Amino acid sequence: MEGRPGHRVRSVGRDDYVPAYLSLISNALSWGGSRLFLRLHGVGINEWRVLSAIVNAPGSTATRIGEELGLNKSVVSRSIQLLQTRDLVTVENFEGRRGLRLTEAGHDLHDHLLVISLKREELLLSGFSEEEKALLMSFLRRMYRNVPAMNAYDPEDQVSV
């Protein structure tokens, strides 16, 4: 492939650019999980994430769940609507706010999807020692802490990185 005259052809590659590789893995996890969950239970990965967030913090609002999961409010809203339609989630008023709780059927679905999700994680991390898993999680947490600085970067600010 030719570049523009006087310019080298160079771009980031999947195999040596961390954001590209993280996206590749993330997309594979999301698409694979969604296909499996949809086939088995008629819910996708976003609904699974919402169910899990509610189990971890019963009574959470949709806004709080969106913040916790890093999901757009409209995605969370659609997922909650689907879960309500399927009688998996209820919306209750708590001190002037709308909090979410799982129904018995919601807990049952969550528990089934949890087993599948943990098995998928086990398969993803196959061949990693416990120490390597802990090190990987420490790297991922450190990267996540760097996200605000990365997202605040603006090349027009004239500030060196």
Side-chain angles (χ1 to χ4, degrees):
M1 179 176 171
E2 289 186 24
R4 295 181 305 177
H7 291 86
R8 293 187 306 167
V9 176
R10 183 170 185 265
S11 185
V12 295
R14 178 186 84 172
D15 294 337
D16 58 1
Y17 183 61
V18 171
Y21 224 85
L22 288 173
S23 290
L24 183 69
I25 294 167
S26 177
N27 290 341
L29 285 167
S30 294
W31 295 335
S34 267
R35 277 195 312 273
L36 180 60
F37 296 165
L38 282 166
R39 181 174 57 80
L40 294 174
H41 296 288
V43 298
I45 198 77
N46 290 328
E47 290 76 32
W48 157 241
R49 294 176 74 194
V50 169
L51 287 171
S52 185
I54 296 170
V55 165
N56 290 330
S60 288
T61 64
T63 300
R64 176 70 183 109
I65 288 170
E67 291 168 356
E68 178 71 21
L69 299 176
L71 290 176
N72 182 286
K73 184 178 179 178
S74 64
V75 171
V76 173
S77 183
R78 280 192 306 271
S79 293
I80 290 170
Q81 286 175 345
L82 174 68
L83 294 170
Q84 282 183 282
T85 301
R86 301 264 316 270
D87 293 321
L88 300 168
V89 169
T90 62
V91 181
E92 302 172 7
N93 288 317
F94 297 103
E95 301 170 7
R97 63 181 179 84
R98 294 168 45 95
L100 299 162
R101 295 204 182 275
L102 298 189
T103 63
E104 193 64 36
H107 279 286
D108 290 344
L109 177 59
H110 169 271
D111 294 350
H112 186 251
L113 294 178
L114 177 62
V115 171
I116 295 168
S117 295
L118 292 174
K119 180 62 179 180
R120 286 173 48 85
E121 179 192 37
E122 177 187 323
L123 293 167
L124 179 68
L125 298 175
S126 177
F128 284 74
S129 70
E130 291 305 314
E131 294 79 21
E132 288 171 325
K133 291 176 191 176
L135 188 59
L136 173 61
M137 285 306 302
S138 73
F139 289 155
L140 292 171
R141 287 184 186 107
R142 190 180 329 159
M143 288 172 62
Y144 188 71
R145 287 192 303 267
N146 292 337
V147 167
M150 176 192 66
N151 285 340
Y153 169 69
D154 183 342
E156 295 179 356
D157 286 343
Q158 303 294 324
V159 176
S160 62
V161 180

